[in-house]
Amino acid sequence: MDQKLVVNGGTGEPAVFKYRLLVPEEETGSAGKISTIASYRANLYIGTTTGQLLHYHHFEDAAEYMLISNLQLSDSSRVITKILILPNTERALVLIGSTASVYSLPELSPCHIGKLKDINDLSMLAYSAISNDSRSQKSVAVNDKIVAFTSSKIRIIQIDKDQIKLLKDINYSGAVSGISTASRMSSNYSNLVLVANPSNYDIIDLKMTRKIPLFDYTGNRTNVPPHMVSYDAMDKEGAEEYLLTIKNDENTSLAMFINSLGDVTRGTLTWIGEGYPVGGIVVRWPYVFGVFASSDHSNKLIVSSLESLQVLNVVSLEEIFYGRKSTKQVVDEIETELKGEETDNKQKEVKDIAQEENLTQQDIDKDNLLQQENQQEQESGEDTEQHRQEQPFSSDSINLTISEQSEIFVEKPSTESAQLLETIKDINISTVSDISVENQTVDGLLSKVNLMNGSRSSSIAKHFDIGNIILHDDSKVWILYSESVLIQLQDSFIFAMQEGTIKSFSEELEGIVDTYEGEIHQYILYMLVLSLIEIEDEQKILKYVLRLKNGHLVVDPLFIIYMLSDFKEIDTSHFDFSVYSGIREIMEQCKPSSSRRLLLLKYFDSVYPDLVQTNSQTQDIIRRAYYASFKSNEESIFFFQGKDKMNWSTFSHINSSIIDLWYSKGFIKTILQAYRSLKAADEEKEKEISEKLCTLVIQLLSQEKGDSDISTESLVADTLADIKANPPDPSLYTKYLIEILKVDKIRGFEFMKKNNKQQYRSVHKTIMDEISETYASESDFSLLKIEFLESTLRENKFKASLQDELAFEMAKLMSSSEFLVEEYRINFDILVQTYKIENSLTDSKWPKISWVDFLHLNSKSSECKDFVDIYLKVYELLLVSTDLKKSTPILSELISNDELFSYYKFVNPDDTTVRSLLDYSDFESAEFVAVHRKLPFPKFHFYIENDSRRFDIVAPSRIRDDLFTILKYYLKEITSDPLCIFAIRHFISSFGNSFFTPSEILSYLPDHIPIAYLMDYLTEVIIDLQAANREVQLRKSISKADATFTKSVYKNFANSFENGT
Amino acid sequence: MSGRKKTLLKVIILGDSGVGKTSLMQQFVNNKFSHQYKATIGADFLTKEISIDGNKQVTLQIWDTAGQERFQSLGVAFYRGADCCVLCYDVTNEKSLNNLTSWKDEFLVQSNVSNPQDFPFIIIGNKIDVDEAKKIPSLQKKLQNITNNQLGGLNYPVFETSAKDGINVEAAFEVIAKMALQQEELNDANGNDVSDDYNDAINIHLESESSGCAC
């Protein structure tokens, strides 16, 4: 579609122009040859040699111009030579032959307000709404003023919507063409006209009505069309200048440059050997485009520089427009081809053709000169239109002339030369008002691409290139326009990258970046930043990336982060980060980005947080990037506690993701800080944060995660301090302590002991349960657990299950090899033996002490006090428990096989218990069991304040049996040691009178027992007997008295009865 | 003429084709000399800033014109506003010496200067580096004759230079600059050049204004 035309830049960069076919041949082919073109807004008007006026319109939603009307304005013999657009009145003056008619725009309806006749050329009277003199106010034009060039006058005419008014006539003979000049003047309208007569250029001062003669342009009165082109000299602050073409000789022409005062402004531009620009001249600063029909009748577009005054490019229009070679090229190739067998003949033929063409051209020039002379002699009149067609200065006349003589035939057509059979068409160049050409390439460059997911979004606005240079042949119209600066810069960037000239290109971008606005400016700024990154000019990078517009950063901070950081560190999956597609292309060409951490931090320091406050997404990603750029916990924590502190009041999504980032970087210390801060700040999510913090701490303690900046010791200390200061819920508390206990049981246990508040006791118990397996063999742990169980037991009013558990725990501890060391065994055994000795029957002291009470009394002096204490506690619990359950199952497994704990078996007495107790020398307990079937409650107790046990009634016979067993034991002992007599005395005194008859006692006792040891018993028995005797006597006396009394009463009653009856 | 800055002095170099006008300009401005001859087509100019008498900075705009006769019609455009005219001849080409008068007259006619009698001209005989044998016989006498008889007897400064070797080029242009500056100051004193932009304009007849339509 669009083709490129690269113009050699001379001393500077090459300039790229593009051309595209605006109107294809098939639409104009039947309407004669194109003679003139004009444009107005989105309309294109094409006049033809057959009097037709084609109206094209460019609809917004269409890519191409569409033909919407074809008006036949005159008979087919008359040529439309000019279409002059009158923008203020929205009219068009259409010059057909020598008559100009008015049509309304844009639809070309005829306006019947009159016609202008005898016209050779028309031009707008230069108008400027901007005054150079600030003191004067210029009015806005409501009509259009034109300059009409006739054969005898220069006429200033005002065109209103409904009338035509002649303002001024100035005599001037033979004006064939002209332009109004000096629009930058003190008055609204120009006072100067640059006019060409058949031989000379002149300046006409309309105000002073005088002529300033310039020079001849015809090259000894040959027939060439004058070309007067105005342009703004950008090397002279935009001063208006004029290019005037001059024919020097058949092969050479030149252009002079003057200002509106007639002063020469620059040297001459020469086209040596190229002929004269018969196809027209157009200036697009700093280039001059001329279409030349050279001696070989091929059309050339010659591009020259106004700055260097050198020819830059010579382009074959045949080649670029039709894809075929120029005549000269074909001739050259044929010449080459013919070398060899038929060299001589063929060369001759071709040269003949070329010579013939040259001759023809010269002949025609001569003919035209004659026509011109004839025309000058003719008076203006009815046949002016016919004269116009004959004038050599009319562009269509020239075109026709050249067309007639440019048909070239080759007698022996080859594939190459067959093209010569086609008619060489004349091509003209001219300017029209601006035409917009959609530039999809720019649209593509400015479309956005998401760097994260690759999705693309189209540019919001379509972008158009503006062109006003039109080239046309007989039937086709092309537009030539500057390549978009964006595309040129895009290509230049890639080129500079490849050539290693990126530094100079970067300087060039610096020079132009501020000359553009809007999206283009932004795009170039991105390019500049990329180039600066490429050359590592950090100072300038910062300078440009910190540019603000309306208080906002122009360059997206995300782009900077992407370019300056190792972006892999940043999880941007939830960020919508897009850049221009063209910029993305350049980024791909750039060398792999190395992380410029320090530069990035400088950038962040500049933009964060003030410049990104309004954009939370940007703020978020900058924060992420900030943290991503840190290399240590210290840096992160410094930022976290400083500049970023305000953002850590909530456990937001971004904060969560930053924490994830820290995880990936191993900044656990920072995470701990963050969690602790968040826990205190975000009440709503305190639980969630606490859990996460707990999880992390646990992971650290269990070494599932690690951070060299965190020592286990400090972690434990900090965690315990945190727990104490901000107590978590029981569940987390438990988790913490269990893990802490695993790594630092001493501190853990110590903490639990110190933190033995009521609300934590059950928690501590849970903890104990959790870790009991782990610490089953660890006495410290068991002791701790026992301690907490005891507390719990007390709190729960000695709940039975807790009693069992505590007993079990203590029994477990006692049975553990770690706790029950040999030393304990020995010492305990010593206690047992001591007890047996001190509690021996040989000792006269009664009552004896029970084993349990003995232990308690002796534990303090024992070497196994800890063991004894637990032993006694277990005993106490067993007593209570057995009283409730009538069994002691919990200990069966732990202590059943260890003689050390054999005493515990007595807690649930059976028929052998008394005997066993006697063997254990615990006579006190044996006697108690004999009477109560239960062991006595210790006098010193740990848990139970009072003995609340229920004592069942024991059958006397059972009691007697057990007591008899005891007595027998005592009696047996007495045989070995007479001192045991005290036991007999004690027994008889205690139980003899209660459970036995004296005769039984006496029958059990051996005869040799001294009666003195039985005194107490006997005394008691006798007393009892005497008391019994007395009671009998009394009963008898009472009975007797009662009988006597009854007898007396009976007698009295009988007497009374008898007397009464 | 136009309101140029006072320090911009326009100098025109005239003379027959091939006398070395372009070389003189190139030698003075760029200190360059090319052995290859290339006829000037049209005109071009170079500028150089110089200091006059050590205290006055001026910019010389030196216009190199085509010596070929066919370009003389363009002269009017180039000559306008000149402050000094350099008439060049070739010391080996007698015809070029003889044509100096024509060039002077052409200049005065086309430039339409206000003070033709006082306008500063300077004569430069170039190519003195060539063999004596090739030089114009009795050059000084002929030159004196021309200045006395054909150039109105005015005492124009004459320099003999070699653009090739750079001989006398600087000195000649120093004098040119001084003369141009004097001319510029004279124009200022007389109020020329600013009172009338078009002192070469031709009055043309104005048709009586018509308020009617041109139909």
Side-chain angles (χ1 to χ4, degrees):
Chain A
M1 188 171 173
D2 294 332
Q3 303 293 324
K4 282 187 179 179
L5 175 65
V6 180
V7 174
N8 188 347
T11 55
E13 292 289 317
V16 180
F17 287 84
K18 292 170 80 174
Y19 57 92
R20 79 160 56 171
L21 188 61
L22 210 57
V23 177
E25 183 172 16
E26 53 268 23
E27 292 184 356
T28 61
S30 61
K33 296 177 180 177
I34 295 172
S35 55
T36 186
I37 298 175
S39 69
Y40 175 67
R41 294 178 182 167
N43 302 282
L44 190 68
Y45 304 104
I46 297 177
T48 71
T49 54
T50 53
Q52 284 176 287
L53 183 56
L54 309 178
H55 178 193
Y56 288 84
H57 186 79
H58 183 221
F59 294 95
E60 284 186 0
D61 56 348
E64 307 293 342
Y65 276 81
M66 292 178 66
L67 178 64
I68 57 174
S69 70
N70 183 351
L71 303 175
Q72 183 69 48
L73 300 185
S74 70
D75 64 70
S76 60
S77 64
R78 299 171 75 188
V79 180
I80 296 176
T81 53
K82 188 146 193 171
I83 303 167
L84 184 66
I85 301 296
L86 309 175
N88 295 328
T89 53
E90 294 187 315
R91 299 285 185 268
L93 268 174
V94 180
L95 183 60
I96 308 173
S98 60
T99 302
S101 303
V102 183
Y103 295 84
S104 66
L105 293 177
E107 78 285 358
L108 297 178
S109 306
C111 294
H112 302 290
I113 58 173
K115 293 184 177 180
L116 304 178
K117 293 183 178 177
D118 195 21
I119 305 296
N120 288 336
D121 194 15
L122 295 165
S123 171
M124 293 298 296
L125 186 63
Y127 172 85
S128 172
I130 303 168
S131 171
N132 287 338
D133 184 355
S134 58
R135 291 168 299 182
S136 64
Q137 291 275 331
K138 289 188 174 182
S139 59
V140 177
V142 293
N143 49 40
D144 290 292
K145 294 182 177 64
I146 65 164
V147 185
F149 301 93
T150 72
S151 55
S152 59
K153 291 183 177 67
I154 296 173
R155 319 190 84 173
I156 309 302
I157 298 168
Q158 176 177 306
I159 312 270
D160 293 288
K161 281 185 181 283
D162 54 359
Q163 67 171 339
I164 299 174
K165 186 177 179 182
L166 176 63
L167 300 179
K168 185 181 257 186
D169 262 350
I170 296 171
N171 286 334
Y172 185 87
S173 178
V176 294
S177 181
I179 58 172
S180 177
T181 72
S183 59
R184 287 182 177 80
M185 58 222 149
S186 56
S187 58
N188 281 83
Y189 286 95
S190 170
N191 291 322
L192 300 172
V193 168
L194 198 56
V195 62
N197 62 34
S199 61
N200 275 69
Y201 293 117
D202 293 314
I203 292 176
I204 303 298
D205 185 342
L206 300 175
K207 187 176 181 182
M208 306 296 288
T209 59
R210 57 187 181 173
K211 178 178 81 175
I212 300 99
L214 294 177
F215 36 77
D216 174 54
Y217 65 89
T218 58
N220 292 324
R221 302 186 70 77
T222 55
N223 297 316
V224 289
H227 294 304
M228 295 162 282
V229 182
S230 70
Y231 62 92
D232 293 334
M234 304 311 291
D235 57 350
K236 295 174 182 173
E237 299 176 348
E240 192 174 38
E241 291 185 0
Y242 308 95
L243 178 154
L244 306 174
T245 56
I246 300 165
K247 181 177 179 180
N248 186 40
D249 56 33
E250 290 306 318
N251 296 319
T252 303
S253 57
L254 54 91
M256 287 190 66
F257 303 94
I258 62 168
N259 58 22
S260 59
L261 304 175
D263 286 343
V264 178
T265 55
R266 59 190 76 225
T268 50
L269 172 62
T270 56
W271 293 292
I272 301 168
E274 300 293 355
Y276 185 81
V278 290
I281 287 284
V282 161
V283 172
R284 170 71 58 248
W285 181 268
Y287 304 109
V288 177
F289 295 87
V291 173
F292 293 72
S294 59
S295 57
D296 64 1
H297 298 282
S298 60
N299 290 288
K300 292 178 183 174
L301 178 68
I302 297 181
V303 187
S304 311
S305 169
L306 283 168
E307 293 170 320
S308 67
L309 300 177
Q310 300 293 316
V311 170
L312 303 176
N313 284 64
V314 179
V315 181
S316 166
L317 291 176
E318 268 77 16
E319 194 171 341
I320 66 168
F321 283 169
Y322 310 118
R324 67 192 182 206
K325 294 171 181 173
S326 67
T327 310
K328 185 175 184 306
Q329 279 179 301
V330 174
V331 169
D332 290 344
E333 287 180 14
I334 291 174
E335 279 180 345
T336 307
E337 188 182 309
L338 294 180
K339 278 179 185 173
E341 302 159 15
E342 303 175 21
T343 305
D344 295 340
N345 291 336
K346 287 196 175 179
Q347 274 184 320
K348 188 171 184 303
E349 286 173 17
V350 174
K351 285 179 178 173
D352 286 347
I353 292 170
Q355 285 172 3
E356 188 179 334
E357 289 169 5
N358 282 336
L359 287 172
T360 308
Q361 176 67 53
Q362 289 168 9
D363 292 344
I364 289 167
D365 287 344
K366 285 178 183 174
D367 290 345
N368 286 339
L369 180 61
L370 289 172
Q371 287 175 10
Q372 175 193 342
E373 288 169 349
N374 291 335
Q375 189 269 341
Q376 285 177 332
E377 292 168 1
Q378 288 173 342
E379 295 178 1
S380 59
E382 294 297 322
D383 56 351
T384 307
E385 292 175 14
Q386 181 64 33
H387 294 161
R388 169 67 184 156
Q389 289 182 28
E390 294 171 354
Q391 284 178 17
F393 313 106
S394 162
S395 60
D396 60 292
S397 300
I398 295 295
N399 291 342
L400 286 169
T401 306
I402 293 174
S403 297
E404 286 168 4
Q405 48 81 47
S406 59
E407 291 180 357
I408 300 171
F409 299 97
V410 178
E411 290 183 3
K412 294 178 180 179
S414 64
T415 307
E416 296 290 341
S417 59
Q419 293 172 350
L420 294 175
L421 293 171
E422 296 181 36
T423 302
I424 301 295
K425 296 177 180 177
D426 301 310
I427 296 175
N428 288 277
I429 190 168
S430 59
T431 56
V432 294
S433 58
D434 288 346
I435 290 176
S436 298
V437 181
E438 185 181 340
N439 192 329
Q440 293 179 341
T441 310
V442 173
D443 288 344
L445 290 179
L446 291 175
S447 67
K448 293 284 186 76
V449 58
N450 190 306
L451 281 178
M452 300 299 104
N453 57 28
S455 65
R456 287 177 181 269
S457 56
S458 300
S459 175
I460 297 170
K462 284 188 173 182
H463 292 82
F464 295 90
D465 290 327
I466 304 296
N468 68 350
I469 301 176
I470 291 288
L471 290 125
H472 72 86
D473 64 5
D474 295 344
S475 54
K476 294 178 185 171
V477 181
W478 294 266
I479 182 169
L480 180 69
Y481 56 98
S482 295
E483 174 69 288
S484 160
V485 65
L486 224 52
I487 295 172
Q488 289 192 52
L489 290 173
Q490 187 83 3
D491 293 343
S492 298
F493 200 122
I494 304 296
F495 180 76
M497 296 277 288
Q498 291 166 349
E499 297 295 315
T501 56
I502 194 69
K503 191 171 189 300
S504 59
F505 179 69
S506 183
E507 288 166 358
E508 184 186 335
L509 288 176
E510 271 194 276
I512 64 167
V513 65
D514 291 327
T515 59
Y516 295 92
E517 294 179 342
E519 228 174 359
I520 304 294
H521 165 74
Q522 200 170 12
Y523 191 96
I524 296 173
L525 190 59
Y526 273 94
M527 287 181 122
L528 175 57
V529 171
L530 276 177
S531 69
L532 292 170
I533 291 173
E534 193 67 11
I535 61 174
E536 300 181 356
D537 190 337
E538 296 193 350
Q539 196 175 350
K540 283 187 178 174
I541 291 172
L542 280 179
K543 174 184 171 185
Y544 286 103
V545 299
L546 292 176
R547 279 198 165 189
L548 300 175
K549 185 180 180 185
N550 300 326
H552 299 289
L553 290 162
V554 179
V555 179
D556 190 341
L558 305 186
F559 171 77
I560 303 305
I561 294 165
Y562 187 90
M563 291 307 298
L564 299 184
S565 70
D566 183 355
F567 212 60
K568 293 171 193 165
E569 291 179 326
I570 304 171
D571 173 19
T572 55
S573 55
H574 53 291
F575 292 123
D576 181 18
F577 177 23
S578 298
V579 293
Y580 294 118
S581 296
I583 294 297
R584 175 64 179 158
E585 284 175 21
I586 295 173
M587 288 163 69
E588 286 170 356
Q589 298 289 323
C590 292
K591 62 189 176 190
S593 174
S594 58
S595 180
R596 296 174 176 86
R597 186 171 155 268
L598 291 177
L599 177 61
L600 194 61
L601 288 177
K602 277 185 192 172
Y603 173 74
F604 288 159
D605 287 343
S606 301
V607 302
Y608 187 82
D610 296 341
L611 295 180
V612 292
Q613 271 180 338
T614 54
N615 189 329
S616 61
Q617 178 184 312
T618 302
Q619 191 179 30
D620 288 349
I621 200 167
I622 281 187
R623 291 181 60 221
R624 276 189 61 88
Y626 235 128
Y627 286 112
S629 72
F630 293 138
K631 297 290 183 188
S632 67
N633 273 309
E634 283 68 28
E635 286 180 328
S636 289
I637 291 172
F638 180 77
F639 180 70
F640 162 77
Q641 293 180 334
K643 246 182 173 179
D644 202 34
K645 190 174 183 180
M646 61 185 178
N647 288 312
W648 289 94
S649 58
T650 57
F651 190 37
S652 58
H653 182 74
I654 177 64
N655 283 344
S656 174
S657 75
I658 288 172
I659 288 173
D660 290 343
L661 172 69
W662 286 335
Y663 268 118
S664 68
K665 294 172 79 78
F667 292 175
I668 307 299
K669 188 176 181 181
T670 314
I671 299 172
L672 285 174
Q673 293 267 13
Y675 275 143
R676 285 171 183 153
S677 295
L678 284 171
K679 190 159 74 81
D682 194 345
E683 289 182 5
E684 280 186 17
K685 296 185 178 177
E686 185 184 356
K687 187 179 178 187
E688 182 188 352
I689 298 162
S690 298
E691 284 173 357
K692 287 183 179 295
L693 176 60
C694 177
T695 303
L696 176 59
V697 170
I698 288 167
Q699 286 173 332
L700 286 168
L701 291 171
S702 63
Q703 297 185 333
E704 190 179 324
K705 288 189 186 301
D707 186 334
S708 57
D709 291 338
I710 302 173
S711 67
T712 303
E713 189 179 353
S714 66
L715 177 65
V716 169
D718 291 346
T719 304
L720 291 175
D722 189 43
I723 292 171
K724 191 165 187 179
N726 305 294
D729 66 32
S731 153
L732 296 183
Y733 184 90
T734 306
K735 288 180 181 175
Y736 274 124
L737 281 179
I738 286 175
E739 288 305 321
I740 288 173
L741 288 167
K742 284 179 185 173
V743 296
D744 193 343
K745 60 186 179 186
I746 297 171
R747 279 190 156 173
F749 292 150
E750 192 178 345
F751 176 83
M752 289 171 74
K753 285 177 187 174
K754 287 181 180 174
N755 202 34
N756 190 21
K757 294 177 185 173
Q758 187 174 353
Q759 67 263 35
Y760 293 115
R761 285 174 189 158
S762 61
V763 179
H764 288 175
K765 177 187 175 303
T766 309
I767 294 169
M768 299 302 159
D769 293 342
E770 286 284 334
I771 62 176
S772 58
E773 288 296 321
T774 310
Y775 297 94
S777 59
E778 293 190 15
S779 57
D780 285 349
F781 168 72
S782 292
L783 285 170
L784 180 72
K785 188 172 182 183
I786 289 164
E787 187 177 329
F788 283 98
L789 281 172
E790 286 176 333
S791 302
T792 309
L793 184 64
R794 290 190 184 97
E795 287 165 12
N796 290 278
K797 298 179 180 176
F798 300 97
K799 190 177 173 184
S801 60
L802 289 174
Q803 291 176 24
D804 290 347
E805 191 176 353
L806 178 58
F808 179 80
E809 193 64 37
M810 288 190 285
K812 196 170 65 173
L813 172 67
M814 285 191 299
S815 63
S816 69
S817 57
E818 188 195 1
F819 183 76
L820 184 55
V821 293
E822 191 60 24
E823 184 185 346
Y824 279 0
R825 280 188 176 278
I826 293 168
N827 284 310
F828 190 79
D829 191 52
I830 291 170
L831 282 172
V832 171
Q833 297 309 319
T834 304
Y835 174 71
K836 286 185 175 179
I837 293 167
E838 290 185 0
N839 208 42
S840 164
L841 290 176
T842 58
D843 187 356
S844 60
K845 291 178 182 175
W846 284 90
K848 298 293 183 187
I849 189 168
S850 71
W851 163 243
V852 173
D853 289 339
F854 174 83
L855 271 181
H856 183 81
L857 290 173
N858 292 279
S859 64
K860 289 180 183 176
S861 58
S862 166
E863 298 294 324
C864 58
K865 180 181 181 300
D866 291 344
F867 179 80
V868 170
D869 285 348
I870 292 174
Y871 184 94
L872 293 174
K873 287 177 179 177
V874 170
Y875 174 76
E876 184 180 330
L877 291 172
L878 287 176
L879 278 184
V880 179
S881 176
T882 305
D883 182 54
L884 295 173
K885 297 181 181 175
K886 311 297 182 190
S887 66
T888 56
I890 55 172
L891 302 180
S892 58
E893 292 179 3
L894 295 171
I895 57 180
S896 60
N897 299 322
D898 195 333
E899 191 60 29
L900 204 65
F901 306 108
S902 58
Y903 191 85
Y904 288 155
K905 294 175 183 173
F906 309 143
V907 172
N908 194 18
D910 56 16
D911 292 344
T912 62
T913 301
V914 171
R915 174 63 197 184
S916 298
L917 283 168
L918 293 172
D919 291 340
Y920 207 87
S921 299
D922 189 357
F923 308 112
E924 173 76 8
S925 298
E927 291 171 355
F928 193 87
V929 168
V931 177
H932 302 291
R933 297 295 292 182
K934 286 183 180 175
L935 280 171
F937 204 76
K939 289 183 172 57
F940 307 97
H941 36 75
F942 295 92
Y943 309 115
I944 311 299
E945 291 296 329
N946 299 302
D947 184 8
S948 57
R949 292 179 296 171
R950 292 174 299 164
F951 289 89
D952 299 329
I953 297 171
V954 183
S957 60
R958 181 69 182 254
I959 297 173
R960 280 165 51 86
D961 290 345
D962 284 342
L963 286 173
F964 187 63
T965 302
I966 295 170
L967 180 60
K968 283 196 294 186
Y969 182 85
Y970 292 165
L971 290 171
K972 184 183 175 185
E973 289 299 311
I974 202 170
T975 56
S976 57
D977 188 345
L979 289 176
C980 291
I981 190 69
F982 296 104
I984 300 297
R985 187 176 69 178
H986 155 73
F987 183 83
I988 291 173
S989 299
S990 300
F991 308 106
N993 197 30
S994 305
F995 297 98
F996 301 98
T997 62
S999 58
E1000 285 173 328
I1001 292 296
L1002 292 174
S1003 65
Y1004 295 153
L1005 294 176
D1007 296 338
H1008 62 271
I1009 290 179
I1011 196 74
Y1013 292 99
L1014 303 177
M1015 280 300 292
D1016 293 339
Y1017 168 70
L1018 291 175
T1019 302
E1020 186 181 352
V1021 167
I1022 290 168
I1023 290 169
D1024 285 347
L1025 288 173
Q1026 288 174 341
N1029 184 45
R1030 278 195 298 274
E1031 186 178 350
V1032 169
Q1033 291 301 324
L1034 284 172
R1035 285 182 184 272
K1036 282 180 180 177
S1037 298
I1038 291 168
S1039 295
K1040 284 178 180 177
D1042 184 58
T1044 303
F1045 177 73
T1046 302
K1047 187 178 177 181
S1048 175
V1049 170
Y1050 175 75
K1051 284 177 179 178
N1052 290 336
F1053 180 73
N1055 292 332
S1056 300
F1057 182 74
E1058 286 173 358
N1059 295 329
T1061 53
Chain B
M1 195 56 209
S2 60
R4 295 186 306 273
K5 290 181 179 178
K6 302 294 181 191
T7 51
L8 181 67
L9 304 174
K10 183 175 179 179
V11 176
I12 307 294
I13 307 177
L14 301 178
D16 279 3
S17 177
V19 299
K21 298 182 291 296
T22 304
S23 296
L24 276 169
M25 182 177 72
Q26 286 291 347
Q27 179 58 251
F28 174 62
V29 176
N30 298 324
N31 295 319
K32 286 180 181 173
F33 177 80
S34 171
H35 288 276
Q36 193 173 5
Y37 173 70
K38 185 181 173 185
T40 303
I41 297 175
D44 200 357
F45 70 88
L46 294 175
T47 58
K48 183 173 182 176
E49 277 196 16
I50 62 169
S51 177
I52 299 175
D53 297 334
N55 57 7
K56 178 73 175 177
Q57 288 289 329
V58 298
T59 302
L60 282 183
Q61 186 186 68
I62 306 163
W63 280 84
D64 171 32
T65 60
Q68 294 173 4
E69 190 177 352
R70 58 184 175 174
F71 293 112
Q72 287 178 15
S73 64
L74 305 177
V76 64
F78 299 121
Y79 302 166
R80 185 180 288 132
D83 295 306
C84 182
C85 180
V86 181
L87 302 172
C88 271
Y89 70 97
D90 178 355
V91 295
T92 66
N93 182 350
E94 189 166 350
K95 189 184 173 199
S96 69
L97 176 66
N98 294 332
N99 283 340
L100 287 181
T101 310
S102 305
W103 283 111
K104 179 201 169 191
D105 294 342
E106 175 73 14
F107 174 79
L108 289 175
V109 167
Q110 296 217 31
S111 66
N112 199 23
V113 293
S114 57
N115 58 337
Q117 293 301 317
D118 303 327
F119 191 84
F121 286 92
I122 184 171
I123 298 169
I124 291 180
N126 193 28
K127 303 187 185 179
I128 61 169
D129 52 284
V130 298
D131 291 343
E132 283 295 326
K134 292 183 180 177
K135 289 184 180 173
I136 304 167
S138 308
L139 174 60
Q140 294 304 323
K141 189 177 177 183
K142 289 176 182 173
L143 179 61
Q144 192 172 11
N145 184 42
I146 287 171
T147 54
N148 288 339
N149 300 328
Q150 298 177 28
L151 295 178
L154 295 175
N155 191 21
Y156 294 142
V158 178
F159 284 86
E160 290 195 340
T161 64
S162 168
K164 180 184 172 189
D165 296 334
I167 299 170
N168 255 351
V169 176
E170 286 280 345
F173 275 97
E174 191 175 334
V175 172
I176 290 167
K178 286 179 181 176
M179 293 171 68
L181 183 61
Q182 284 177 355
Q183 172 66 10
E184 179 77 7
E185 289 169 350
L186 183 64
N187 282 337
D188 289 344
N190 293 337
N192 290 339
D193 212 22
V194 289
S195 61
D196 188 356
D197 283 342
Y198 302 107
N199 53 11
D200 53 347
I202 302 165
N203 289 326
I204 53 178
H205 174 63
L206 178 66
E207 282 283 302
S208 57
E209 287 195 12
S210 167
S211 59
C213 177
C215 309

